[in-house]
Amino acid sequence: MEVKFIPAEQLKEKPDENALGFGKYFTDYMFTMDWTKEKGWHNATIEPYGPVSLDPATMVLHYAQETFEGLKAYRTKEGKLLLFRPEMNAKRFANSNRRLCMEVLPEELFVDAIATLVSYEKDWIPTAEGTSLYIRPFMFATERAVGVHPSNAYKFMIILSPVGAYYPEGVNPVKIYVEDEYVRATKGGTGFAKCGGNYAASIAAQVKAEKLGYTQVLWLDGVERKYVEEVGTMNAMFIIDEKIVTAPCDGTVLPGVTRDSVIQLLKSWGYVVEERHLSIDELMEAGRNGRLQEAFGTGTAAVISPIGKLNYKGESITINDFQTGEITQRLYDTLTGIQWGKLEDCFHWTYEVK
């Protein structure tokens, strides 16, 4: 891929690695590329990070044809630059675009664009414990038109952000509110796609949970509001009677890269993983009688986030004495160990950026 480079007049001062937060700082450069029916993919450019100019009639502003991804870059002690399973993000991005009738970006082009930008911005990859460079690829409709139809033009972009922990609790347990008023997704909808509309629709429940003192929302299915699906920004897993139970990816749950990695790790360690519909009643009963041993969320941003408390219809259950469980901690240590190059990558998950 031929990429045009436009140098910045002045580079930014890098932030304190021990006070990064999440998504607050952005690097010097961003990647942009356009697609039109006439030219296909063209105009690949690395340019200074800055505003994007849009016509008021740009279709994304009206009809929300927009998709995005999230992954991270890590720097090892030896100085290697690693991505974690970027081909999985590329496949999911393509599936999201298909669902929203958007042009599909070839998977190899997706990975190549990320690697090229990360290589340019390698000095922005932080090295403090628990930090990384968050990568946000996204695409949106750019045709100037009012009227519902697939756009005839799109812009693909990548921005980068040095980050610390996603949740203020870090790797400590979070409190989760089980949402039974609003719904996130139903079969036939866009629940499996990573598109902004899904997240916009979830904010009302998130605000509600935060007002009640909870960090995140656990969604139930959109038809019966009976079966556990996923947490707002993570897939959810529960250890009940020594078995790990998680919702199946059957159209309403985001097929998480971390979720898939965790399932593979657990199976390699000899654990039974059940991808099945788990009712909230079964989950709460397991919590009452002590059979719910651990619970955690999985996602790129937080990696593994222990769940210490669930609240459903006014009833709260505390999980594992509000402590990070042994299996949860082992998963976090193993995944981050592979991502930062501290542990052997037996699954060949990492991708080295040259």
PDB file of all heavy atoms in Angstrom, residues 1 16 28 35 37 44 47 67 80 111 128 141 157 189 192 196 238 244 265 279 296 312 332 339 342:
ATOM      1  N   MET A   1       0.845  -1.195   0.000  1.00  0.00           N
ATOM      2  CA  MET A   1       0.000   0.000   0.000  1.00  0.00           C
ATOM      3  C   MET A   1       0.878   1.242   0.000  1.00  0.00           C
ATOM      4  O   MET A   1       1.752   1.403   0.860  1.00  0.00           O
ATOM      5  CB  MET A   1      -0.906   0.000   1.246  1.00  0.00           C
ATOM      6  CG  MET A   1      -1.755   1.257   1.395  1.00  0.00           C
ATOM      7  SD  MET A   1      -2.870   1.204   2.808  1.00  0.00           S
ATOM      8  CE  MET A   1      -1.720   0.969   4.157  1.00  0.00           C
ATOM      9  N   ASP A  16       2.184  12.369  30.861  1.00  0.00           N
ATOM     10  CA  ASP A  16       2.733  11.556  31.934  1.00  0.00           C
ATOM     11  C   ASP A  16       2.157  10.142  31.831  1.00  0.00           C
ATOM     12  O   ASP A  16       0.941   9.956  31.910  1.00  0.00           O
ATOM     13  CB  ASP A  16       2.371  12.187  33.283  1.00  0.00           C
ATOM     14  CG  ASP A  16       2.879  11.392  34.480  1.00  0.00           C
ATOM     15  OD1 ASP A  16       3.505  10.328  34.285  1.00  0.00           O
ATOM     16  OD2 ASP A  16       2.639  11.844  35.626  1.00  0.00           O
ATOM     17  N   ASP A  28       0.438  12.334  17.414  1.00  0.00           N
ATOM     18  CA  ASP A  28       0.680  13.410  16.450  1.00  0.00           C
ATOM     19  C   ASP A  28      -0.010  13.199  15.103  1.00  0.00           C
ATOM     20  O   ASP A  28      -0.374  14.164  14.437  1.00  0.00           O
ATOM     21  CB  ASP A  28       2.192  13.550  16.202  1.00  0.00           C
ATOM     22  CG  ASP A  28       2.935  14.019  17.440  1.00  0.00           C
ATOM     23  OD1 ASP A  28       2.581  15.084  17.971  1.00  0.00           O
ATOM     24  OD2 ASP A  28       3.864  13.313  17.878  1.00  0.00           O
ATOM     25  N   TRP A  35     -12.892   5.968  -0.077  1.00  0.00           N
ATOM     26  CA  TRP A  35     -13.443   5.009  -1.050  1.00  0.00           C
ATOM     27  C   TRP A  35     -14.587   5.678  -1.792  1.00  0.00           C
ATOM     28  O   TRP A  35     -15.453   6.334  -1.193  1.00  0.00           O
ATOM     29  CB  TRP A  35     -13.978   3.760  -0.358  1.00  0.00           C
ATOM     30  CG  TRP A  35     -14.511   2.740  -1.334  1.00  0.00           C
ATOM     31  CD1 TRP A  35     -13.820   1.735  -1.951  1.00  0.00           C
ATOM     32  CD2 TRP A  35     -15.865   2.650  -1.817  1.00  0.00           C
ATOM     33  NE1 TRP A  35     -14.644   1.025  -2.792  1.00  0.00           N
ATOM     34  CE2 TRP A  35     -15.910   1.571  -2.734  1.00  0.00           C
ATOM     35  CE3 TRP A  35     -17.031   3.376  -1.581  1.00  0.00           C
ATOM     36  CZ2 TRP A  35     -17.079   1.200  -3.393  1.00  0.00           C
ATOM     37  CZ3 TRP A  35     -18.199   3.017  -2.250  1.00  0.00           C
ATOM     38  CH2 TRP A  35     -18.216   1.934  -3.137  1.00  0.00           C
ATOM     39  N   LYS A  37     -17.148   4.828  -5.521  1.00  0.00           N
ATOM     40  CA  LYS A  37     -17.478   3.815  -6.518  1.00  0.00           C
ATOM     41  C   LYS A  37     -16.567   3.925  -7.741  1.00  0.00           C
ATOM     42  O   LYS A  37     -16.227   2.930  -8.384  1.00  0.00           O
ATOM     43  CB  LYS A  37     -18.941   3.960  -6.945  1.00  0.00           C
ATOM     44  CG  LYS A  37     -19.927   3.450  -5.911  1.00  0.00           C
ATOM     45  CD  LYS A  37     -21.355   3.472  -6.455  1.00  0.00           C
ATOM     46  CE  LYS A  37     -22.314   2.862  -5.441  1.00  0.00           C
ATOM     47  NZ  LYS A  37     -23.718   2.840  -5.939  1.00  0.00           N
ATOM     48  N   ALA A  44      -4.535   7.049   0.461  1.00  0.00           N
ATOM     49  CA  ALA A  44      -4.059   6.656   1.791  1.00  0.00           C
ATOM     50  C   ALA A  44      -3.028   7.671   2.270  1.00  0.00           C
ATOM     51  O   ALA A  44      -2.033   7.924   1.579  1.00  0.00           O
ATOM     52  CB  ALA A  44      -3.451   5.259   1.736  1.00  0.00           C
ATOM     53  N   GLU A  47      -1.324  11.869   8.193  1.00  0.00           N
ATOM     54  CA  GLU A  47      -1.307  13.325   8.291  1.00  0.00           C
ATOM     55  C   GLU A  47      -1.426  13.762   9.742  1.00  0.00           C
ATOM     56  O   GLU A  47      -1.788  12.949  10.607  1.00  0.00           O
ATOM     57  CB  GLU A  47      -2.450  13.911   7.470  1.00  0.00           C
ATOM     58  CG  GLU A  47      -3.827  13.448   7.920  1.00  0.00           C
ATOM     59  CD  GLU A  47      -4.930  13.902   6.968  1.00  0.00           C
ATOM     60  OE1 GLU A  47      -5.406  15.043   7.157  1.00  0.00           O
ATOM     61  OE2 GLU A  47      -5.292  13.122   6.056  1.00  0.00           O
ATOM     62  N   THR A  67     -18.954   2.500  11.476  1.00  0.00           N
ATOM     63  CA  THR A  67     -18.470   1.330  12.200  1.00  0.00           C
ATOM     64  C   THR A  67     -17.096   1.642  12.770  1.00  0.00           C
ATOM     65  O   THR A  67     -16.416   2.555  12.298  1.00  0.00           O
ATOM     66  CB  THR A  67     -18.362   0.093  11.280  1.00  0.00           C
ATOM     67  OG1 THR A  67     -17.536   0.423  10.151  1.00  0.00           O
ATOM     68  CG2 THR A  67     -19.731  -0.368  10.798  1.00  0.00           C
ATOM     69  N   LYS A  80      10.335  -4.696  21.036  1.00  0.00           N
ATOM     70  CA  LYS A  80       9.458  -5.105  19.934  1.00  0.00           C
ATOM     71  C   LYS A  80       8.098  -4.414  20.061  1.00  0.00           C
ATOM     72  O   LYS A  80       7.622  -4.146  21.168  1.00  0.00           O
ATOM     73  CB  LYS A  80       9.261  -6.625  19.938  1.00  0.00           C
ATOM     74  CG  LYS A  80      10.497  -7.419  19.586  1.00  0.00           C
ATOM     75  CD  LYS A  80      10.166  -8.915  19.580  1.00  0.00           C
ATOM     76  CE  LYS A  80      11.385  -9.755  19.211  1.00  0.00           C
ATOM     77  NZ  LYS A  80      11.063 -11.213  19.215  1.00  0.00           N
ATOM     78  N   VAL A 111      -5.093  -4.358   8.391  1.00  0.00           N
ATOM     79  CA  VAL A 111      -3.934  -4.641   9.246  1.00  0.00           C
ATOM     80  C   VAL A 111      -2.721  -3.824   8.802  1.00  0.00           C
ATOM     81  O   VAL A 111      -1.987  -3.272   9.633  1.00  0.00           O
ATOM     82  CB  VAL A 111      -3.608  -6.148   9.240  1.00  0.00           C
ATOM     83  CG1 VAL A 111      -2.333  -6.429  10.037  1.00  0.00           C
ATOM     84  CG2 VAL A 111      -4.776  -6.946   9.822  1.00  0.00           C
ATOM     85  N   ALA A 128       5.044   2.266  30.872  1.00  0.00           N
ATOM     86  CA  ALA A 128       4.690   2.091  32.285  1.00  0.00           C
ATOM     87  C   ALA A 128       3.796   0.864  32.446  1.00  0.00           C
ATOM     88  O   ALA A 128       3.072   0.474  31.521  1.00  0.00           O
ATOM     89  CB  ALA A 128       3.982   3.333  32.806  1.00  0.00           C
ATOM     90  N   ALA A 141     -19.858   7.105   6.386  1.00  0.00           N
ATOM     91  CA  ALA A 141     -20.377   7.517   5.085  1.00  0.00           C
ATOM     92  C   ALA A 141     -20.093   8.993   4.842  1.00  0.00           C
ATOM     93  O   ALA A 141     -20.316   9.829   5.716  1.00  0.00           O
ATOM     94  CB  ALA A 141     -21.884   7.270   5.033  1.00  0.00           C
ATOM     95  N   MET A 157     -10.518   5.838   8.779  1.00  0.00           N
ATOM     96  CA  MET A 157      -9.528   6.570   9.554  1.00  0.00           C
ATOM     97  C   MET A 157      -9.011   5.713  10.710  1.00  0.00           C
ATOM     98  O   MET A 157      -9.670   4.776  11.153  1.00  0.00           O
ATOM     99  CB  MET A 157     -10.128   7.865  10.120  1.00  0.00           C
ATOM    100  CG  MET A 157     -10.606   8.850   9.064  1.00  0.00           C
ATOM    101  SD  MET A 157     -11.243  10.398   9.788  1.00  0.00           S
ATOM    102  CE  MET A 157      -9.743  11.052  10.544  1.00  0.00           C
ATOM    103  N   GLY A 189     -31.075  -7.643  14.379  1.00  0.00           N
ATOM    104  CA  GLY A 189     -30.599  -6.270  14.485  1.00  0.00           C
ATOM    105  C   GLY A 189     -29.100  -6.170  14.288  1.00  0.00           C
ATOM    106  O   GLY A 189     -28.480  -6.983  13.593  1.00  0.00           O
ATOM    107  N   PHE A 192     -24.460  -7.774  16.831  1.00  0.00           N
ATOM    108  CA  PHE A 192     -23.150  -8.396  16.601  1.00  0.00           C
ATOM    109  C   PHE A 192     -22.172  -7.445  15.930  1.00  0.00           C
ATOM    110  O   PHE A 192     -20.980  -7.740  15.823  1.00  0.00           O
ATOM    111  CB  PHE A 192     -23.301  -9.648  15.722  1.00  0.00           C
ATOM    112  CG  PHE A 192     -23.712  -9.349  14.306  1.00  0.00           C
ATOM    113  CD1 PHE A 192     -22.756  -9.138  13.321  1.00  0.00           C
ATOM    114  CD2 PHE A 192     -25.049  -9.264  13.951  1.00  0.00           C
ATOM    115  CE1 PHE A 192     -23.125  -8.856  12.010  1.00  0.00           C
ATOM    116  CE2 PHE A 192     -25.432  -8.972  12.654  1.00  0.00           C
ATOM    117  CZ  PHE A 192     -24.471  -8.769  11.679  1.00  0.00           C
ATOM    118  N   GLY A 196     -21.634   2.660  16.083  1.00  0.00           N
ATOM    119  CA  GLY A 196     -21.900   3.675  17.087  1.00  0.00           C
ATOM    120  C   GLY A 196     -23.315   3.670  17.616  1.00  0.00           C
ATOM    121  O   GLY A 196     -23.547   3.974  18.790  1.00  0.00           O
ATOM    122  N   PHE A 238     -19.260 -16.193  33.655  1.00  0.00           N
ATOM    123  CA  PHE A 238     -19.597 -16.550  35.027  1.00  0.00           C
ATOM    124  C   PHE A 238     -19.108 -17.970  35.309  1.00  0.00           C
ATOM    125  O   PHE A 238     -19.300 -18.873  34.484  1.00  0.00           O
ATOM    126  CB  PHE A 238     -21.109 -16.475  35.237  1.00  0.00           C
ATOM    127  CG  PHE A 238     -21.680 -15.133  34.852  1.00  0.00           C
ATOM    128  CD1 PHE A 238     -22.172 -14.912  33.569  1.00  0.00           C
ATOM    129  CD2 PHE A 238     -21.704 -14.085  35.755  1.00  0.00           C
ATOM    130  CE1 PHE A 238     -22.678 -13.675  33.197  1.00  0.00           C
ATOM    131  CE2 PHE A 238     -22.207 -12.841  35.399  1.00  0.00           C
ATOM    132  CZ  PHE A 238     -22.694 -12.635  34.117  1.00  0.00           C
ATOM    133  N   ILE A 244     -17.371 -22.544  33.232  1.00  0.00           N
ATOM    134  CA  ILE A 244     -17.457 -21.155  32.786  1.00  0.00           C
ATOM    135  C   ILE A 244     -18.618 -21.042  31.803  1.00  0.00           C
ATOM    136  O   ILE A 244     -18.693 -21.783  30.815  1.00  0.00           O
ATOM    137  CB  ILE A 244     -16.141 -20.697  32.122  1.00  0.00           C
ATOM    138  CG1 ILE A 244     -15.018 -20.601  33.159  1.00  0.00           C
ATOM    139  CG2 ILE A 244     -16.324 -19.333  31.475  1.00  0.00           C
ATOM    140  CD1 ILE A 244     -14.326 -21.885  33.486  1.00  0.00           C
ATOM    141  N   LEU A 265      -7.975 -20.094  26.025  1.00  0.00           N
ATOM    142  CA  LEU A 265      -7.094 -20.301  27.187  1.00  0.00           C
ATOM    143  C   LEU A 265      -7.734 -21.250  28.193  1.00  0.00           C
ATOM    144  O   LEU A 265      -7.095 -22.198  28.667  1.00  0.00           O
ATOM    145  CB  LEU A 265      -6.787 -18.967  27.862  1.00  0.00           C
ATOM    146  CG  LEU A 265      -5.683 -18.101  27.258  1.00  0.00           C
ATOM    147  CD1 LEU A 265      -5.628 -16.754  27.972  1.00  0.00           C
ATOM    148  CD2 LEU A 265      -4.325 -18.807  27.339  1.00  0.00           C
ATOM    149  N   SER A 279     -30.125 -17.812  32.187  1.00  0.00           N
ATOM    150  CA  SER A 279     -31.177 -16.905  32.648  1.00  0.00           C
ATOM    151  C   SER A 279     -30.691 -16.110  33.852  1.00  0.00           C
ATOM    152  O   SER A 279     -29.865 -16.579  34.639  1.00  0.00           O
ATOM    153  CB  SER A 279     -32.443 -17.679  33.007  1.00  0.00           C
ATOM    154  OG  SER A 279     -32.280 -18.375  34.228  1.00  0.00           O
ATOM    155  N   PHE A 296     -16.591 -12.194  35.552  1.00  0.00           N
ATOM    156  CA  PHE A 296     -15.690 -11.189  34.992  1.00  0.00           C
ATOM    157  C   PHE A 296     -16.140 -10.803  33.593  1.00  0.00           C
ATOM    158  O   PHE A 296     -16.872 -11.532  32.921  1.00  0.00           O
ATOM    159  CB  PHE A 296     -14.242 -11.707  34.953  1.00  0.00           C
ATOM    160  CG  PHE A 296     -14.061 -13.025  34.246  1.00  0.00           C
ATOM    161  CD1 PHE A 296     -13.784 -13.073  32.887  1.00  0.00           C
ATOM    162  CD2 PHE A 296     -14.149 -14.222  34.944  1.00  0.00           C
ATOM    163  CE1 PHE A 296     -13.613 -14.280  32.229  1.00  0.00           C
ATOM    164  CE2 PHE A 296     -13.989 -15.445  34.301  1.00  0.00           C
ATOM    165  CZ  PHE A 296     -13.714 -15.477  32.937  1.00  0.00           C
ATOM    166  N   TYR A 312     -30.029  -6.860  40.759  1.00  0.00           N
ATOM    167  CA  TYR A 312     -31.143  -7.146  39.862  1.00  0.00           C
ATOM    168  C   TYR A 312     -32.444  -6.952  40.625  1.00  0.00           C
ATOM    169  O   TYR A 312     -32.684  -7.608  41.641  1.00  0.00           O
ATOM    170  CB  TYR A 312     -31.050  -8.573  39.321  1.00  0.00           C
ATOM    171  CG  TYR A 312     -32.218  -8.994  38.459  1.00  0.00           C
ATOM    172  CD1 TYR A 312     -32.540  -8.291  37.298  1.00  0.00           C
ATOM    173  CD2 TYR A 312     -32.994 -10.107  38.789  1.00  0.00           C
ATOM    174  CE1 TYR A 312     -33.603  -8.678  36.504  1.00  0.00           C
ATOM    175  CE2 TYR A 312     -34.054 -10.504  37.984  1.00  0.00           C
ATOM    176  CZ  TYR A 312     -34.359  -9.785  36.849  1.00  0.00           C
ATOM    177  OH  TYR A 312     -35.418 -10.166  36.055  1.00  0.00           O
ATOM    178  N   TYR A 332      -6.088 -12.717  33.436  1.00  0.00           N
ATOM    179  CA  TYR A 332      -5.517 -11.380  33.228  1.00  0.00           C
ATOM    180  C   TYR A 332      -3.999 -11.456  33.089  1.00  0.00           C
ATOM    181  O   TYR A 332      -3.421 -10.864  32.165  1.00  0.00           O
ATOM    182  CB  TYR A 332      -5.893 -10.456  34.390  1.00  0.00           C
ATOM    183  CG  TYR A 332      -5.297  -9.065  34.251  1.00  0.00           C
ATOM    184  CD1 TYR A 332      -5.925  -8.094  33.481  1.00  0.00           C
ATOM    185  CD2 TYR A 332      -4.089  -8.746  34.870  1.00  0.00           C
ATOM    186  CE1 TYR A 332      -5.364  -6.818  33.334  1.00  0.00           C
ATOM    187  CE2 TYR A 332      -3.524  -7.477  34.721  1.00  0.00           C
ATOM    188  CZ  TYR A 332      -4.164  -6.533  33.955  1.00  0.00           C
ATOM    189  OH  TYR A 332      -3.596  -5.285  33.810  1.00  0.00           O
ATOM    190  N   GLN A 339       0.447 -10.378  25.619  1.00  0.00           N
ATOM    191  CA  GLN A 339       0.367  -9.110  24.891  1.00  0.00           C
ATOM    192  C   GLN A 339       1.626  -8.267  25.041  1.00  0.00           C
ATOM    193  O   GLN A 339       2.056  -7.612  24.085  1.00  0.00           O
ATOM    194  CB  GLN A 339      -0.866  -8.333  25.375  1.00  0.00           C
ATOM    195  CG  GLN A 339      -2.178  -8.972  24.948  1.00  0.00           C
ATOM    196  CD  GLN A 339      -3.382  -8.395  25.658  1.00  0.00           C
ATOM    197  OE1 GLN A 339      -3.260  -7.749  26.715  1.00  0.00           O
ATOM    198  NE2 GLN A 339      -4.569  -8.607  25.117  1.00  0.00           N
ATOM    199  N   LYS A 342       5.811 -10.952  27.669  1.00  0.00           N
ATOM    200  CA  LYS A 342       6.451 -11.509  28.859  1.00  0.00           C
ATOM    201  C   LYS A 342       6.305 -13.024  28.930  1.00  0.00           C
ATOM    202  O   LYS A 342       7.106 -13.699  29.574  1.00  0.00           O
ATOM    203  CB  LYS A 342       5.843 -10.885  30.123  1.00  0.00           C
ATOM    204  CG  LYS A 342       6.043  -9.384  30.237  1.00  0.00           C
ATOM    205  CD  LYS A 342       5.314  -8.841  31.460  1.00  0.00           C
ATOM    206  CE  LYS A 342       5.449  -7.324  31.558  1.00  0.00           C
ATOM    207  NZ  LYS A 342       4.685  -6.794  32.733  1.00  0.00           N
TER     208      LYS A 342
END
